[in-house]
Amino acid sequence: MAFRLLGPVSAVDATGVTVALGSSRQRALLACLLVGDRVPVTVAQLIDLLWDFRPPPTAATMVHAAVAGLRKALEPAHCRGDARVVVTRDGGYVMQVSPDQIDAVRFERLLARGRQAVRADPGRGHRLLGEALGLWTGPALAGVEQVFGRTAAGRLDGLRLECAEFKAEAGLELGLHYEAVSELETLVARNPLRERLSGLLMVALYRCGRQSDALATYANLRRSLAAELGLEPGPEVRRLEMALLRQSAELDLPVRPVTRPGRSPAALPIPLGAFVGRGREQSELAALLARHRMVTLTGAGGTGKTRLAIEVTRRLADHSGAEAFFVDLTPLAAGAGVEETVAAALDVRTEPGQELVATIAAALDGRDSVILLDNCEHLLDRCATLVSAVLSRTGRVRVLATSREPLGMPGEHLHPVRPLLLAVPDEPWDRIAACEAVRLFVSRAAAVRPGFAVTPHNARLVLEVCARLDGLPLALELAAARMASMSLRDLAARLDDRFRLLAAAARPVDPRHRSLAATVGWSYELLAAPERALLARIAVFPGTFDLAAAQALDGDEGPARSDGLLTLSRLVACSTVQLEEEPDDEPRYRLLETTRQFARDKLETPEIARLQSRHAHHYLAVAEQVEAHLFCAGAGPWLARLHRERVNLLAALAWAFGPGGDPDVGTRMVGCLWHYWDLRGARSEGLQWVHTALDAVGTETPVQRLPLLSAGALLHIGCADFDATAELAGEQLILARRTGQRMWEGDALSMTATIAWARGRFDRAQQLYEDAVIATLAGGSVWRAAMAEAQLARLHRDRNEPDAARAVALQSLAHARQVGEELAHGLALDVLASIEHRWGAVAEARRLVEEALVHYRLVDYREGEASALHLAGRIALGAGEPARARVAFEHSLMLCKQIGHRAGTAVAMEGLADATAAADGVEADRLRAAASRLRVEIGVPAPVS
């Protein structure tokens, strides 16, 4: 786990996912335990730090609660025996973590090493200081407002500025004055009284031929010092001004001694921008290279393989003293010149009568060396032959290769390089700002538009841009360069034409990186004809897909099943198709959106239409297969399959109801998906397609129309849209009675009953529910009868009729057990639990609600789970168990927030307030106030007690 203080206080687990730390108090507590010397901090000390010496009476209890909450967030696996992170020692709390897990400690260590290297080895110093600055994601300890936090943040922010100064100095030593000017101008504008910064900017401007601007910088510094402090600039800056006026030779770029190429880590390229993200991957690769002598980084074009390899090689050279050699194979034609290129990088001469590879091996034998072979994909056989020969004749040489596919040689260990991690859109803005892809985009955008940063207002748009570019570092850098001339919103709007938009605004040396199209085209040209044909066909998939779906696109002219699998496997091997990890071990495949657009452009319009038709018919078959399993036992995995295929199903619907589509395919598919949409809470999405299908079938086809009317009524009632529900259910009732369809008649009666209940017509609702049960059973639908009976039992409960409520709930449970379906089963148990709780059978109510939760979770019905958890919390409160109640309410609150159930969020906060009141009255009041504000916002009043 890694801990971040250089930006919003956060923790990141081993998979790169930001940990949900909970309340702001728990974030502040984490900061308390991480800053300083990380010695045990007593409860009394924590109270003073967290409340700035003005604590409330219950502060000690609140500290213990915050520690418990922090442990819960950071130690989810402790119950399996994993080590504690927050430990009690010597009468206080302390974080049991290594210094390398804390970004602030790593920053200070890199700063110290970089500062020492600036004069002796400016290339190394520039890289170390850039790496240090790359750890920052925003103002230090953002979100921690206590005095201790602001004090620590002030110190760290000062070190950040010092680091930027030393990095600029190293850049000037390396002749990077053009690159330094932009960064120094921004820093001077923010720190107008900082004499050293102004001095560095003066030198940079002078070396760029801008003597007048350099002198103007001195004049601005002098005015600022006089106005703010009544001081004159110091002697060093005054001496620099005189040197500018004399155009002194001391201001010229220093001449550095020439070193033999390939003999030191300086032979590695020195990238201009700071390296962002991939901290865990660097550590994993360093460990992999320590254990194995041949490691290949594989991945699609633009994923950042070369940059990652350079950083890992440089780190290894810095720490072990090994020599590092960089060999770029990009310019070579297929099969030519590999040995000669490696020999030139190593400064090895050909020996008469000797094979060149033998000479290379002899030159390296006995030396600790790392060779970085970059871009091997078009020279696989020659690279494998060379590497095998060198490694077999030397004992201390290691090779790190980058390639879009493996070299395929014995002893090779692979490390796939994937796109940068992305945040989830509904995460808080500060977590979005902290994700790797966003950090890279913002870092590069700020270089061309000083001051650009992630804010609460633009965070989701920044994330959208990064996600649509697949988190590909090359695409992010090219897009960020466009921020010099267009707004973020304009950039996002133009991403559909990404290949034209992302022709490089900057001019990279590597021709493959001058545009996104060039990078993808390089990979495409290396494919064989069958691989190109399959790639173009699978571009029709907007999301992940399985082998059966890919083969369904082939039609009668497609290759045999085994040939299709082999071709797809080749595309995976060369990183053109991504292989997705699935919990059921069934492989699924995915194209990056950038690759998909490129491949789709290779298809003619008639071929696209044929493929879309085959795609839609395949997913109709999938939906119909799944639908047959949704209303019986074991529906959970089938619902999960629909969820996996959601993007493909939506694409099929869009084609079916679009120009040139087949509305019958779409109508049949909607009839299979309504239950999934309802369980997932995707009612708006479902209603869009239900109404589209209703328009398509018209009023003359009752067999097709009845299921659609039922689905629409159900989804509308889930949105509390009673007028629309009444309209659809009314039409359904008339049509069902006219055609003698008893099941659909009962279904319509049940919907009508729910509307009557909501409008206060209780007698009418009871009669309608009873009629609905009779009709659905007569129509053969035990499942629909069980659902109607559960609602009828609720009605009896709310009318204070315990005997009738219990009897009907038990009948609902019996019918649910008869069909075995999880939703009906969970609902019947949930309602029965609420009845037992209301009339005092606490133990039975608890047993029933826990059983209901099991069934809800089997079909991932989160609305039902949140409701049942709220009931579990009320049962625990009534039994005098506030801690148990708090856990249930917290879980319910989390689920409601996840699914956007705002009324449920208010109810959960009110329950949590009741569970918290005795221990923390201030927190309880805060929760009640937040719930009250939310109720006003959504127009849902609190229930009358």
Side-chain angles (χ1 to χ4, degrees), residues 108-124:
E108 292 195 46
R109 289 179 175 179
L110 287 166
L111 171 58
R113 291 166 56 201
R115 186 194 293 123
Q116 290 177 344
V118 165
R119 298 290 171 81
D121 187 352
R124 181 168 179 266

Side-chain angles (χ1 to χ4, degrees), residues 34-57:
L34 288 176
V35 299
D37 297 327
R38 293 177 302 285
V39 297
V41 186
T42 66
V43 172
Q45 290 170 323
L46 288 172
I47 290 172
D48 289 341
L49 292 170
L50 291 173
W51 282 277
D52 294 336
F53 301 93
R54 296 187 299 277

Side-chain angles (χ1 to χ4, degrees), residues 698-713:
T699 59
E700 304 304 320
T701 52
V703 173
Q704 289 182 299
R705 192 165 183 82
L706 278 168
L708 297 173
L709 291 168
S710 171

